[in-house]
Amino acid sequence: MCALLAALFFWAAGARADALAAARALVARIVPAHAEQIVLEPLPHAPGAPDAFEVETRAGRLVLRGHNGVTIGAALNWYFRNVAHAQVSWCGDNLALPAQLPAVPAKVRVESPYAQRVYLNYCTFNYTGAWWDRARWEREIDWMALNGITTPLAITGQEAVWQATLRRFGLGDDEIRAFFVGPAFFAWQWMTNIEAWGGPLPQSWIDSHRELGQWIVRRERELGMTPILQGFTGCVPVALAKKFPEARIRQKKVWCEIPPGPAQLDPADPLFTRMGRVFLEEQQKLFGGDHLYAADPFHEGEPPQEGAEYLHAVGETIFKLTTEFDPQATIVMQGWSIREGIVRGIPEDRLLVLDLTGQKWRETQSFWGRAWVAGIIQNYGGRHSLGGNLPQLATTAPSLLGTPAGRRLVGIGLFPEAIEHNPLLFDLAADLGWQPAAPDLAAWTQRYVRARYGTDHAAAQRAWATLRTSVYAQKAPSRRWSRRCRRARRWS
């Protein structure tokens, strides 16, 4: 017993040391000239306890406490906003800090009411990030840590997983590369809507993005994040039907006028489980795993068979496949086109639903008792705009905490279809991850403006007060699909 306790002690100490090392590297990247004035200390964190951080000044040095890079990053960001009047942003940084870091008046401790703070939409990877290199991803992951993100979607490099999988099912490399879309369209391929558009994909892209994806998940894990990897839902190349003519593989109707349309392998077909197992094995080899698997069967399409019984079987099949591979697996499902039958086929404690808009819970009895995350999209189609509905954003998740409707609300999420614009809105959304109640928007905006400009400029404050009560108090735009796109959801 003593040996076991000693081993556990040294393992925990090693884990804390690794976490602090990653956090120190984060601080050095963000404020290299001031890193020597910042002391990082571990904050005890029991399993199941809320994430927390502490900030204080001691003997002229800034002390940041947390249990990983995410909580220490959030502590640094809190200090920027509330004491140093500084900011790291998609749209320009304000890091004109004085030589001596300003002192924190009194020790501050902040806890998050949410176990999950989720980030990224499939569309973000293409509307904004299609051509990102390692340096740009490093900056974005640092931004995630500063904003307390725990659970980012990670799909970079999926092409290599699919190539390895399809090779094992008899497809040649030319067929596989022809299945892939061009680099700017992967979001819609991995959301099971298209294939081949803009391809064939060069092998050089597959190889380089395998390496980039491996680096991304490694850095996210070092900082204490838990990436969401892909699950298997049966969207396969049309060419696979020729290799397996007896399998129930049906081609979908063209989606939004993007031919040729992908194929769907029926989850009830034995090939589904066989192929899904291979996919998960190949993904594990390349990217490891953290027990979270994104699975959105029939996204913006229709299942090959109607009826609650069939949909329940689909949910059971996906869950069984995934948990036989990874007994600790949790399925992560978007609320966009969620179906009750599929949800009820997955045990209550093994599904996490991402309510992308923060409003779908109203139509689904809070996702039929499953754990869920209240999110925000705001910018459908990647549209850039100055404005948004701050009052709704600020109140949606906090108003649900402690209520029957929010009984299984476990997180908050940012799901922009594009980024690098409108930072005030998304910075507020990230801040909500650390707020147990809706903030006073007037006071929050005043602090934000001072941090953005580095000074409490009266004219800037008046301008932003006007923006806050006009264009930032408008209803968010809805997503309207054309008749052609609605028809594209149907099966041929």
Side-chain angles (χ1 to χ4, degrees):
M1 179 62 73
C2 291
L4 175 61
L5 290 174
L8 289 172
F9 172 80
F10 284 113
W11 177 86
R16 287 196 298 270
D18 290 345
L20 284 178
R24 287 193 187 96
L26 169 71
V27 171
R29 287 191 298 272
I30 301 298
V31 283
H34 294 80
E36 292 299 317
Q37 296 182 44
I38 301 175
V39 177
L40 306 186
E41 295 180 351
L43 188 65
H45 184 256
D51 282 354
F53 62 78
E54 293 180 352
V55 184
E56 67 175 317
T57 295
R58 185 181 63 212
R61 301 178 77 188
L62 175 63
V63 179
L64 307 176
R65 296 189 188 91
H67 62 273
N68 57 18
V70 167
T71 48
I72 288 176
L76 179 60
N77 203 35
W78 183 95
Y79 174 78
F80 284 163
R81 292 274 190 85
N82 295 279
V83 179
H85 310 305
Q87 185 188 61
V88 173
S89 169
W90 294 324
C91 305
D93 299 339
N94 167 31
L95 290 173
L97 299 168
Q100 178 63 43
L101 290 176
V104 182
K107 177 180 172 180
V108 171
R109 178 183 174 90
V110 178
E111 294 185 356
S112 174
Y114 305 102
Q116 305 280 357
R117 297 179 297 279
V118 187
Y119 181 52
L120 289 171
N121 183 315
Y122 283 84
C123 295
T124 324
F125 286 82
N126 282 138
Y127 280 133
T128 301
W131 312 109
W132 283 4
D133 58 10
R134 182 180 294 194
R136 181 61 186 85
W137 267 109
E138 179 171 70
R139 178 172 171 83
E140 192 66 20
I141 295 169
D142 287 350
W143 182 93
M144 294 184 207
L146 290 173
N147 285 278
I149 299 300
T150 60
T151 320
L153 180 64
I155 60 172
T156 303
Q158 274 295 302
E159 310 86 77
V161 179
W162 274 100
Q163 184 176 63
T165 299
L166 294 172
R167 282 172 173 170
R168 290 174 63 178
F169 285 87
L171 270 68
D173 280 359
D174 287 346
E175 291 176 296
I176 295 169
R177 292 191 304 104
F179 161 63
F180 293 137
V181 298
F185 306 102
F186 275 118
W188 299 276
Q189 181 155 41
W190 304 145
M191 286 192 291
T192 75
N193 296 323
I194 62 174
E195 71 165 71
W197 186 257
L201 191 70
Q203 186 64 42
S204 59
W205 178 277
I206 299 171
D207 296 339
S208 65
H209 281 70
R210 179 193 66 242
E211 295 176 3
L212 178 59
Q214 290 169 334
W215 180 87
I216 288 169
V217 294
R218 184 167 60 248
R219 174 59 61 83
E220 289 172 346
R221 289 167 182 149
E222 287 171 355
L223 289 166
M225 301 175 197
T226 305
I228 303 171
L229 299 182
Q230 279 294 102
F232 183 80
T233 61
C235 185
V236 296
V238 172
L240 194 72
K242 297 177 182 178
K243 304 287 184 181
F244 297 90
E246 301 303 317
R248 293 193 293 276
I249 299 174
R250 298 180 62 186
Q251 187 169 359
K252 297 182 182 182
K253 206 171 183 71
V254 170
W255 177 85
C256 287
E257 297 189 321
I258 301 177
Q264 176 68 45
L265 173 58
D266 190 338
D269 190 285
L271 183 60
F272 182 94
T273 298
R274 180 182 161 202
M275 193 170 191
R277 174 79 188 197
V278 170
F279 173 87
L280 294 172
E281 287 174 358
E282 295 297 340
Q283 181 171 251
Q284 180 83 21
K285 289 177 189 176
L286 290 174
F287 298 109
D290 301 272
H291 315 304
L292 297 178
Y293 299 87
D296 293 293
F298 322 127
H299 176 80
E300 292 186 6
E302 296 300 326
Q305 184 176 325
E306 294 298 330
E309 184 176 342
Y310 173 79
L311 293 176
H312 190 276
V314 168
E316 286 185 328
T317 299
I318 291 173
F319 178 71
K320 185 173 185 290
L321 160 68
T322 311
T323 52
E324 284 183 350
F325 173 77
D326 178 358
Q328 299 180 61
T330 292
I331 304 299
V332 182
M333 192 173 291
Q334 295 181 100
W336 187 251
S337 54
I338 200 163
R339 291 172 170 84
E340 182 177 1
I342 295 174
V343 167
R344 293 198 181 278
I346 301 172
E348 288 189 10
D349 61 341
R350 305 299 288 276
L351 178 65
L352 176 66
V353 180
L354 309 181
D355 188 353
L356 303 186
T357 65
Q359 302 298 317
K360 189 76 172 183
W361 64 271
R362 301 176 187 275
E363 307 168 21
T364 58
Q365 302 167 43
S366 297
F367 302 102
W368 306 287
R370 272 59 179 177
W372 62 286
V373 168
I376 174 178
I377 286 184
Q378 170 66 24
N379 56 343
Y380 293 116
R383 290 175 293 186
H384 288 206
S385 61
L386 182 69
N389 191 342
L390 295 189
Q392 181 188 71
L393 170 61
T395 56
T396 294
S399 68
L400 288 162
L401 292 173
T403 69
R407 179 178 63 88
R408 297 299 307 278
L409 176 65
V410 298
I412 196 163
L414 284 71
F415 305 114
E417 293 203 352
I419 59 172
E420 297 181 341
H421 69 103
N422 208 0
L424 178 139
L425 185 141
F426 290 106
D427 285 347
L428 173 61
D431 272 8
L432 292 174
W434 298 95
Q435 308 239 6
D440 179 311
L441 286 176
W444 185 91
T445 304
Q446 286 178 343
R447 290 193 300 273
Y448 181 89
V449 172
R450 186 173 182 185
R452 184 152 184 81
Y453 300 111
T455 183
D456 198 16
H457 195 284
Q461 291 288 6
R462 287 195 301 271
W464 276 99
T466 300
L467 291 171
R468 176 180 57 80
T469 55
S470 55
V471 294
Y472 278 98
Q474 60 184 322
K475 290 184 178 179
S478 62
R479 188 168 196 165
R480 299 181 183 276
W481 290 87
S482 72
R483 182 176 300 175
R484 288 188 295 271
C485 287
R486 288 198 297 271
R487 283 203 305 265
R489 298 180 184 185
R490 302 170 189 162
W491 288 77
S492 56

